[in-house]
């Protein structure tokens, strides 16, 4: 068998993952025609077809699926080893891709971006602010951040925040007009500002009733997939909002928002960074972990 170049193996994995020459080319920074040529040479060298191509779709053959299952983790490990070798001589470097929901971005990253980039000038940070559940392996992210209940299975994870409470808040003017709810069920008679999840559903507000979890599907004049839209609407008296306490603390302190149903809120929960298990953790990921845990006042893992 002729020697198979590393680039051809990378090309095959990218095409098979994306099921598209165009999207694979965008990931690797090469043209679709160049990928097609690399794949043809690889199939000729192996003596078996790896992909079935039609005008509408690209799908791996049985041999292609088997090769992808073994090859993709191996290429990831090789990449991690090469990167570790490069970075052992100096600062963490390269592209660091992280997917996280809006709440985590607002609490963990937006106030700290300048500090992180100053500390790690050779790193290029890419944030995918996304309320959907993302397969970080398939989408080629280095790590993800989610609350514990939403972590991807089979990942290593560690907390990168102190436990966070959520609160229900409203402007004093709204509460004067409508009254304050005394029980979570009273919210069904109120204007509640809904949070749209990435998959299209609406977040059910979480409470604890007699020590048991309670979820409520609320309704109101506004649904948004961004906390800032809900915060500003609540400040303007449009309705009640369910938000992480640190996001609304300044407006609670100055009296522009008031907390209701505080005795009915669920236990606080931390945000977790999660990532695939590898024998050697990349230096750029170690840098991110150390930075987030330092800011949270947590001991280093």
């Amino acid at each position: 068998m002729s020697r198979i170049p590393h680039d051809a193996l990378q090309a095959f994995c990218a095409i098979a993952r994306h099921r598209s020459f165009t999207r694979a080319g965008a990931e690797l920074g090469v043209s679709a025609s160049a990928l097609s040529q690399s794949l043809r040479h690889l199939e000729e060298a192996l003596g078996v077809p790896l992909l079935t191509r039609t005008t509408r779709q690209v799908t791996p053959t049985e041999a292609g699926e088997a090769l992808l299952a073994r090859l993709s983790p191996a290429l990831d490990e090789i990449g991690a080893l090469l990167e570790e070798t490069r970075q052992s001589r100096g600062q963490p470097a390269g592209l660091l891709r992280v997917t996280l929901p809006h709440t985590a971005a607002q609490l963990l990253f937006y106030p700290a971006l300048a500090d992180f980039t100053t500390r790690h000038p050779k790193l290029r940070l890419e944030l995918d602010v996304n309320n959907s559940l993302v397969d970080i392996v398939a989408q080629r992210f280095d790590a993800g951040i989610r609350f514990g209940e939403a972590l991807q299975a089979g990942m290593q994870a560690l907390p990168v925040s102190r436990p966070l409470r959520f609160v229900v808040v409203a402007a004093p003017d709204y509460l004067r007009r409508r009254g304050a709810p005394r029980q979570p069920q009273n919210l069904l008679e109120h204007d509640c500002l809904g949070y749209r999840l990435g998959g299209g559903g609406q977040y059910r507000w979480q409470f604890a009733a007699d020590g048991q979890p309670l979820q409520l599907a609320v309704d109101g004049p506004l649904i948004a997939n961004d906390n800032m839209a809900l915060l500003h609407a609540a400040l303007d008296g449009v309705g009640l909002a369910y938000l992480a306490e640190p996001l609304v603390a300044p407006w609670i302190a100055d009296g522009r928002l008031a907390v209701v149903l505080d005795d009915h809120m669920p236990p606080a929960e931390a945000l977790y960074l999660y990532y695939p298990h590898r024998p050697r953790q990349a230096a750029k990921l170690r840098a991110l972990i150390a930075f987030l845990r330092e800011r949270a006042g947590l001991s280093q893992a």
Side-chain angles (χ1 to χ4, degrees):
M1 182 187 298
S2 60
R3 187 171 178 270
I4 297 173
H6 183 267
D7 288 352
L9 299 175
Q10 280 189 313
F12 162 70
C13 285
I15 299 164
R17 279 198 320 272
H18 289 290
R19 309 294 174 101
S20 163
F21 281 82
T22 302
R23 290 194 294 272
E27 177 190 315
L28 298 177
V30 298
S31 68
S33 60
L35 287 181
S36 180
Q37 185 174 8
S38 292
L39 181 68
R40 180 170 57 82
H41 291 326
L42 178 61
E43 289 178 325
E44 289 175 354
L46 295 176
V48 293
L50 299 174
L51 298 173
T52 300
R53 286 153 281 186
T54 69
T55 55
R56 290 182 172 271
Q57 62 182 0
V58 177
T59 56
T61 63
E62 184 177 356
E65 288 281 13
L67 179 61
L68 179 66
R70 299 283 298 276
L71 181 60
S72 186
L75 288 178
D76 286 344
E77 180 62 18
I78 291 170
L81 286 169
L82 293 175
E83 181 180 319
E84 186 73 17
T85 301
R86 285 194 300 269
Q87 296 187 15
S88 64
R89 298 176 300 172
Q91 296 175 316
L95 178 63
L96 175 62
R97 302 185 70 229
V98 182
T99 179
L100 69 171
H102 286 274
T103 297
Q106 289 155 357
L107 292 176
L108 302 183
F109 279 94
Y110 294 167
L113 287 173
D115 190 10
F116 185 81
T117 56
T118 299
R119 289 196 198 188
H120 302 293
K122 294 183 179 180
L123 271 179
R124 187 158 53 102
L125 178 65
E126 178 181 337
L127 297 180
D128 171 59
V129 183
N130 190 331
N131 291 327
S132 298
L133 297 180
V134 176
D135 184 337
I136 62 172
V137 176
Q139 297 298 318
R140 314 290 286 178
F141 286 101
D142 294 289
I145 297 177
R146 293 290 186 273
F147 286 103
E149 63 188 20
L151 294 179
Q152 185 175 341
M155 297 284 124
Q156 287 191 289
L158 73 164
V160 288
S161 78
R162 297 288 184 180
L164 301 171
R165 293 183 74 246
F166 278 74
V167 290
V168 179
V169 293
D173 178 63
Y174 174 88
L175 297 176
R176 282 192 292 270
R177 287 185 287 112
R178 300 292 302 275
R182 303 299 178 188
Q183 301 290 330
Q185 290 82 355
N186 297 153
L187 293 170
L188 302 179
E189 302 166 4
H190 278 266
D191 292 333
C192 297
L193 309 174
Y195 188 76
R196 180 69 72 195
L197 297 171
Q202 187 173 330
Y203 179 73
R204 290 174 176 263
W205 290 12
Q206 310 291 313
F207 298 96
D210 298 322
Q212 299 299 315
L214 170 68
Q215 297 183 353
L216 279 182
V218 298
D219 196 13
L222 174 68
I223 301 172
N225 68 344
D226 181 72
N227 292 322
M228 292 299 100
L230 305 181
L231 170 60
H232 285 288
L235 287 167
D236 289 339
V238 177
L240 295 143
Y242 188 106
L243 293 165
E245 188 173 34
L247 290 178
V248 294
W251 291 275
I252 295 171
D254 70 11
R256 294 184 63 191
L257 290 175
V259 176
V260 298
L261 300 173
D262 201 39
D263 292 339
H264 299 274
M265 302 311 293
E269 186 177 2
L271 285 161
Y272 286 78
L273 184 86
Y274 63 98
Y275 46 91
H277 173 76
R278 291 195 176 98
R280 294 176 180 82
Q281 196 178 82
K284 60 183 179 181
L285 186 55
R286 291 201 307 271
L288 177 64
I289 292 169
F291 179 81
L292 293 176
R293 287 178 66 84
E294 177 189 321
R295 284 186 58 85
L298 300 170
S299 62
Q300 297 304 313

